[in-house]
Amino acid sequence: VTLADRPFMWSPNRFPFELASAAYALDSADGQTCPLTSALTIGPAYFRTMGAKILSGREFDEGDRAAGPPVVIVNQKFADESWSGERPLGKRLRLFHGTEPEMWLTVVGVVSNIAQNDSSPPRLDSLIYLPFAQRPAADMWVLARTGGPPEGLEAAFRHEVQALDPDLPVYGPLPLTRR
């Protein structure tokens, strides 16, 4: 079980970004000239739940809290496009919120590419993953991998989420196979 700020069948949010090794400018007259990347805020065990593999480095861990150093995991496509031929671990990047740069993020892992969009057929986009503990979002989706057909688990899943907070709205559940 894990969390994500968007289910995998919705396209992730896109943000302008810059690499520590390259300078870009934001041009308020015609929008950003920085490249854009898709970003997803995730909880622990996201990659295991989604069937992705850590190719190098590590997953987010207990040290990746709000008070800890800001970290990011990138997918293989982002790594190849941003640091072709270089090792991405330890590299830094930052997102922009409007025209304001955010804190520098250090790459701690590279994960296999996962289709994280609603195109048909799904395409493999350049993507970064941010830890929920460092970037909490108001709206999160609970994702779970089951050992059998998920349809029989909907009532139990709803019950467990409501047990956390009876005022917490539950939409679905929707098996990810029903997209």
Side-chain angles (χ1 to χ4, degrees):
V1 175
T2 190
L3 300 171
D5 67 348
R6 294 183 170 280
F8 82 93
M9 63 275 210
W10 290 4
S11 294
N13 293 319
R14 294 183 57 79
F15 296 94
F17 75 96
E18 72 176 332
L19 305 175
S21 59
Y24 301 100
L26 286 177
D27 183 350
S28 60
D30 64 357
Q32 61 270 5
T33 57
C34 286
L36 296 174
T37 190
S38 295
L40 193 64
T41 299
I42 62 170
Y46 180 82
F47 301 118
R48 186 171 46 253
T49 302
M50 297 304 292
K53 293 180 176 51
I54 296 291
L55 303 175
S56 63
R58 63 174 177 83
E59 290 190 56
F60 297 131
D61 62 27
E62 294 300 316
D64 301 324
R65 297 284 178 219
V71 295
V72 63
I73 294 174
V74 301
N75 73 353
Q76 183 67 56
K77 185 168 184 169
F78 185 95
D80 291 344
E81 290 174 354
S82 299
W83 302 289
S84 180
E86 296 181 50
R87 187 175 170 182
L89 297 180
K91 301 282 188 187
R92 296 184 332 138
L93 66 103
R94 67 178 168 186
L95 301 176
F96 284 82
H97 183 77
T99 58
E100 295 298 316
E102 296 185 7
M103 295 175 55
W104 286 104
L105 307 167
T106 301
V107 177
V108 296
V110 178
V111 68
S112 59
N113 297 323
I114 309 170
Q116 296 275 176
N117 55 62
D118 57 0
S119 64
S120 183
R123 67 182 185 277
L124 299 175
D125 293 330
S126 180
L127 185 64
I128 67 170
Y129 298 92
L130 304 163
F132 175 76
Q134 290 184 350
R135 243 183 127 87
D139 297 322
M140 295 296 289
W141 289 74
V142 178
L143 307 173
R145 177 171 292 279
T146 65
E151 291 77 12
L153 300 173
E154 289 180 14
F157 194 76
R158 179 181 294 277
H159 179 272
E160 291 300 316
V161 171
Q162 292 282 270
L164 295 172
D165 182 346
D167 295 325
L168 191 64
V170 177
Y171 305 103
L174 174 66
L176 297 180
T177 55
R178 260 198 239 154
R179 55 183 206 133

